[in-house]
Amino acid sequence: MAAHSEKICFFNGQYIPLKDANVNIQTNALQYGTACFGGMRGYWNPEKKDVYIFRLEEHYRRLASSARMLHMKMEYDQEAFAEIIRQVVRRGEWKQNIYLRPFIYKSDFDVSPKLYNLKDAFALYVFGMDDYLDTKKGLNICVSSWTRIHDSMIPTRSKATGGYVNSALAKSEAVENGFDEALFLDKDGNVSEASAMNIFIVSNGKLITPDLSSSILEGITRKTILTLAAENSIETEERKIVRSELYSADEVFFAGTGVQVAWIKNIDHRTVGNGSIGPVTEKLQSLYFKVVRGDVPQYNRWLTGMY
Ligand code: PMP
């Protein structure tokens, strides 16, 4: 298999090895974070010998919408986007679980932090990825000393690159203090989300997640989990969650493309529930892993095969 740097990516309209896909140091996006990105996964199904991209259409829509918020134009329609992905996966001969990173960035050399009258560019690369955080051991997390950016500061509904400095600060503080991940509160002190994932709590059998006005990214996994729960007789609610509810919840878990579904064992040194994975989390996690691999026919509508 080719070394990772030789793997094919999509850059400036061409399929070229990753090692040749470089930007100039004057690039506006590099100075100011004037870019937006997507994070997608492809799951290898060894029986079907195919890589399934999960919810390609939803990811396309969110990337295009992030771009619109940042005065950028997604130059490819959904079909062309899917074809770029297919080419990169096939040319890279990816036959394992993968993560895909499409992004649009201000590629001009203008020295002002601005969004207008600048050229945009699109690129996409892929790498192999299994777990991002451990999904089995139970995570130790903390409430961050950093506040989640509010939509009036940087649109949280977009995956704007610059906004991820907020995430990087929180994640670094958490890991340097011995935790696995950081959980943000929003500017009003309500539970928001983690550095790159949404959060769910289970209380008295009900699945609850912060609503869209809690400064969260509208996660595609969040939406998936809400659908899977509702279709499996689990009551769901989207609303404000206060900090004390975290400590009294029966179960808490993260959901996101990268993190998948990962259960939380401790929050701020307090054990969640009885310290083991709870029944609702276990059910949803196991269903999610089957769904993304193409093992539940009724949800195969969410998958796009690459081979
Ligand atoms: N919140 C943030 C800040 C994220 O970066 C992500 C990862 N994209 C998520 C939530 C989860 O979103 P999704 O399920 O669409 O990956």
Side-chain angles (χ1 to χ4, degrees):
M1 204 193 260
H4 185 68
S5 62
E6 298 289 343
K7 288 284 194 184
I8 297 299
C9 67
F10 186 76
F11 181 69
N12 288 342
Q14 293 182 310
Y15 298 98
I16 59 169
L18 202 49
K19 67 175 170 34
D20 299 326
N22 303 305
V23 297
N24 189 287
I25 56 169
Q26 297 179 88
T27 304
N28 188 275
L30 191 57
Q31 307 299 322
Y32 302 117
T34 47
C36 62
F37 65 98
M40 309 165 66
R41 269 188 186 266
Y43 288 89
W44 172 239
N45 183 314
E47 285 82 43
K48 312 252 174 60
K49 300 211 178 327
D50 207 346
V51 169
Y52 294 122
I53 306 296
F54 189 59
R55 307 205 75 168
L56 188 150
E57 190 183 323
E58 294 277 338
H59 281 282
Y60 176 79
R61 243 187 277 137
R62 188 173 63 195
L63 183 62
S65 141
S66 291
R68 215 171 303 124
M69 288 185 225
L70 299 177
H71 271 292
M72 293 173 179
K73 193 163 162 42
M74 175 59 185
E75 62 184 299
Y76 300 98
D77 63 14
Q78 193 185 302
E79 220 170 285
F81 177 71
E83 185 54 27
I84 291 167
I85 291 174
R86 185 171 281 110
Q87 288 299 324
V88 169
V89 171
R90 286 188 173 196
R91 290 173 191 229
E93 298 175 356
W94 291 104
K95 292 185 175 169
Q96 63 179 94
N97 295 336
I98 52 173
Y99 183 86
L100 303 97
R101 170 54 55 82
F103 61 104
I104 307 169
Y105 61 103
K106 291 292 175 191
S107 58
D108 266 345
F109 297 165
D110 195 295
V111 79
S112 309
K114 66 177 199 184
L115 297 168
Y116 58 92
N117 289 347
L118 291 179
K119 273 197 238 98
D120 305 324
F122 172 82
L124 183 141
Y125 61 90
V126 174
F127 52 90
M129 185 157 93
D130 288 313
D131 274 0
Y132 170 75
L133 290 178
D134 200 315
T135 55
K136 294 192 190 75
K137 72 160 189 162
L139 301 172
N140 289 314
I141 70 162
C142 62
V143 170
S144 184
S145 74
W146 296 95
T147 300
R148 187 68 181 140
I149 41 173
H150 184 256
D151 203 66
S152 62
M153 302 164 183
I154 292 179
T156 53
R157 294 286 180 85
S158 75
K159 280 180 71 75
T161 301
Y164 280 77
V165 172
N166 184 226
S167 294
L169 287 165
K171 173 87 183 184
S172 304
E173 177 194 57
V175 171
E176 285 169 2
N177 286 337
F179 297 98
D180 296 305
E181 182 56 56
L183 180 63
F184 283 115
L185 302 181
D186 68 11
K187 70 170 182 47
D188 300 318
N190 295 307
V191 174
S192 179
E193 61 181 345
S195 66
M197 60 212 72
N198 294 112
I199 189 152
F200 284 85
I201 68 172
V202 179
S203 205
N204 296 321
K206 191 193 268 188
L207 184 66
I208 311 165
T209 195
D211 64 5
L212 296 179
S213 66
S214 300
S215 294
I216 62 166
L217 178 76
E218 190 172 3
I220 293 165
T221 319
R222 174 185 179 277
K223 193 167 165 189
T224 301
I225 292 296
L226 287 170
T227 304
L228 293 179
E231 291 179 2
N232 284 275
S233 311
I234 297 166
E235 201 186 336
T236 65
E237 193 178 0
E238 296 172 63
R239 63 160 170 82
K240 300 276 175 222
I241 296 176
V242 295
R243 183 172 185 165
S244 52
E245 287 182 273
L246 291 173
Y247 304 138
S248 59
D250 302 315
E251 305 177 33
V252 184
F253 65 87
F254 284 142
T257 298
V259 77
Q260 308 172 107
V261 176
W263 69 283
I264 293 161
K265 188 174 187 168
N266 286 290
I267 305 178
D268 293 334
H269 305 289
R270 292 157 177 86
T271 304
V272 177
N274 65 7
S276 52
I277 187 167
V280 174
T281 309
E282 196 164 30
K283 183 172 179 179
L284 290 169
Q285 187 191 54
S286 129
L287 180 57
Y288 181 79
F289 282 131
K290 286 191 194 121
V291 166
V292 295
R293 290 189 170 87
D295 291 334
V296 189
Q298 78 191 92
Y299 298 113
N300 284 356
R301 64 178 191 276
W302 289 338
L303 310 178
T304 309
M306 292 289 104
Y307 290 100

